[in-house]
């Protein structure tokens, strides 16, 4: 298997990346029209952590971390390493030594659509990571692949330089050209949610605030007292 290592790809503007980092994954996902999630199978190895940065992408052969070694050289301040494989892999392709090298280069965290190990050490050194699998299974360094090419995870395309946002809820990708627009839409959604939160604290119901009673009627959903419901069930 050959491959390519692309150097110096375009990236989202730093100010737009930081603006997106003010919001949670769920908010940004909704602000983009419920798109961008990299799948529910990617889970954090830590809790109460949110990171945002620009993607450095890796396409590796299953059970082979050679291209992660190659990618470290391409990583810089504010990046997030995004790794996937050419077919499903559960081997532990990333561990504490990789994190040590990436931390030295200012990388903010890892998203890997495969296995990870040394999770206790990664938490101890406060290196955030989201992975599909935790596995101690070792890997080889024998097969070529690519760095900084578009990859697909969870049906979403991640290009180098796109914005990656990850928290306890999961991971979302924001195309670099849409970063500013997404930050603005996320801010608007936060304002809307703040108004709804205040209304709920005052006792208003979502049924009324969102006009959902009319939706229930339109869908044919009816109200019955327990006695009416029990009587209808007994007669049926």
């Amino acid at each position: 298997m050959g491959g390519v290592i692309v150097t110096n790809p375009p990236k989202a503007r730093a100010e737009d990346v930081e603006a997106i980092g003010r919001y949670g994954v769920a908010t940004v996902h909704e602000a983009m029209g419920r798109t961008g999630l990299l799948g529910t199978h990617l889970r954090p190895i830590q809790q109460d952590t949110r990171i945002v940065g620009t993607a450095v992408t890796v396409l590796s052969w299953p059970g082979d971390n050679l291209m992660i070694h190659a990618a470290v050289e391409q990583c810089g301040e504010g990046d997030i390493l995004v790794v996937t494989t050419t077919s499903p892999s559960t081997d532990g392709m990333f561990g504490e030594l990789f994190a040590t090298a990436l931390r030295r280069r200012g990388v903010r965290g890892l998203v890997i659509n495969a296995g990870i190990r040394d999770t206790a050490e990664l938490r101890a050194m406060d290196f955030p990571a989201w992975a599909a699998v935790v596995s101690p299974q070792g890997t080889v360094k024998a097969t070529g692949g690519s760095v900084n090419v578009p990859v697909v995870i969870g049906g979403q395309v991640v290009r180098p330089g796109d914005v990656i946002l990850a928290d306890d809820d999961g991971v979302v990708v924001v195309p670099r050209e849409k970063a500013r627009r997404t930050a603005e839409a996320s801010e608007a959604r936060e304002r809307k949610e703040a108004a709804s939160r205040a209304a709920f604290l005052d006792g208003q119901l979502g049924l009324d605030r969102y006009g959902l009673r009319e939706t229930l009627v339109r869908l044919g959903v009816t109200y019955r007292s327990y006695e009416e419901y029990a009587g209808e069930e007994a007669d049926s």
Side-chain angles (χ1 to χ4, degrees):
M1 177 180 178
V4 62
I5 298 172
V6 180
T7 61
N8 299 316
K11 296 182 179 182
R13 298 192 310 169
E15 55 267 38
D16 296 337
V17 174
E18 300 310 317
I20 289 173
R22 299 182 190 122
Y23 311 103
V25 165
T27 296
V28 170
H29 161 67
E30 294 274 5
M32 289 198 299
R34 298 188 297 280
T35 64
L37 288 181
L38 301 193
T40 56
H41 65 296
L42 295 178
R43 304 311 307 158
I45 66 165
Q46 68 289 313
Q47 291 292 302
D48 302 323
T49 297
R50 178 191 298 167
I51 62 170
V52 67
T54 46
V56 171
T57 61
V58 179
L59 181 62
S60 285
W61 198 260
D64 191 318
N65 65 9
L66 171 62
M67 299 315 295
I68 298 179
H69 283 279
V72 170
E73 185 180 34
Q74 304 305 318
C75 289
E77 187 72 33
D79 285 333
I80 294 175
L81 190 64
V82 179
V83 180
T84 191
T85 50
T86 55
S87 62
S89 174
T90 59
D91 296 329
M93 298 175 62
F94 186 99
E96 176 263 339
L97 291 179
F98 272 136
T100 299
L102 290 172
R103 170 62 52 79
R104 175 68 176 78
R105 302 180 74 85
V107 173
R108 295 177 175 177
L110 168 78
V111 175
I112 183 166
N113 189 31
I116 193 171
R117 61 183 184 178
D118 299 339
T119 54
E121 289 82 358
L122 293 173
R123 284 189 291 272
M125 64 188 292
D126 194 26
F127 188 86
W130 284 253
V133 178
V134 175
S135 170
Q137 176 65 49
T139 59
V140 298
K141 303 166 182 55
T143 316
S146 294
V147 175
N148 278 334
V149 298
V151 298
V152 177
I153 300 177
Q156 303 296 317
V157 176
V158 181
R159 301 169 306 161
D162 283 347
V163 182
I164 298 294
L165 175 69
D167 63 15
D168 290 353
D169 289 345
V171 185
V172 67
V173 58
V174 180
R176 56 180 181 266
E177 298 87 352
K178 298 181 179 178
R180 170 46 48 186
R181 190 190 327 160
T182 299
E184 293 170 352
S186 299
E187 181 181 4
R189 185 167 184 84
E190 282 270 293
R191 287 198 299 268
K192 181 180 178 182
E193 290 182 353
S196 294
R197 189 176 300 109
F200 293 156
L201 285 171
D202 281 344
Q204 187 179 25
L205 296 176
L207 283 173
D208 298 314
R209 184 167 184 79
Y210 302 137
L212 298 178
R213 294 189 189 280
E214 293 79 2
T215 301
L216 292 176
V217 170
R218 177 169 52 80
L219 294 175
V221 179
T222 61
Y223 286 85
R224 293 284 191 280
S225 69
Y226 175 77
E227 290 77 11
E228 291 171 333
Y229 179 76
E232 292 170 357
E233 288 295 302
D235 293 339
S236 64

